[in-house]
């Protein structure tokens, strides 16, 4: 595991943590970083599926919940999970921009 990535507790994946500008890395370092990112990126859809399953379970619970405070808590948890999914999709799509920039 390289030092170019750090684990993000909230999203449940490692994210890029570059200590210098991209162009300051050698082509070999860039290729190594991209290869590692592709491995991480490939796991993002599975992570999204896990979060969607959690949302589905919380929505099921919400449908059966009669306590207003608990309903509010479940709604908040669902919103938080949805936000995580949104952020994961952003990271997933980011690769296209980075890869295109390198190959120019």
């Amino acid at each position: 595991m390289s030092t170019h990535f750090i684990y993000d507790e909230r999203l449940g994946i490692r994210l890029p943590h570059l200590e210098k500008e991209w162009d300051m890395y050698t082509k070999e370092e860039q290729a190594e970083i991209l290869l590692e990112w592709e491995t991480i990126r490939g796991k993002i859809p599975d992570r999204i599926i896990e979060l969607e399953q959690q949302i589905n379970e919380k929505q099921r619970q919400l449908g059966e919940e009669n306590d207003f405070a608990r309903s509010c808590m479940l709604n908040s948890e669902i919103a938080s999970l949805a936000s995580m999914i949104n952020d994961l999709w952003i990271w997933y799509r980011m690769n296209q921009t980075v890869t295109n920039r390198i190959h120019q």
Side-chain angles (χ1 to χ4, degrees), residues 31-66:
E32 178 185 308
I33 292 167
L34 280 178
L35 180 61
E36 188 168 355
W37 174 243
E38 276 302 309
T39 301
I40 295 166
R41 183 177 173 267
K43 297 175 184 176
I44 290 176
D46 292 335
R47 179 68 180 133
I48 289 171
I49 289 170
E50 290 173 15
L51 296 172
E52 287 173 339
Q53 289 171 344
Q54 291 177 35
I55 287 174
N56 290 339
E57 174 58 23
K58 290 187 183 301
Q59 287 176 326
R60 186 196 63 72
Q61 292 174 17
L62 185 59
E64 299 171 358
E65 188 58 59
N66 292 321

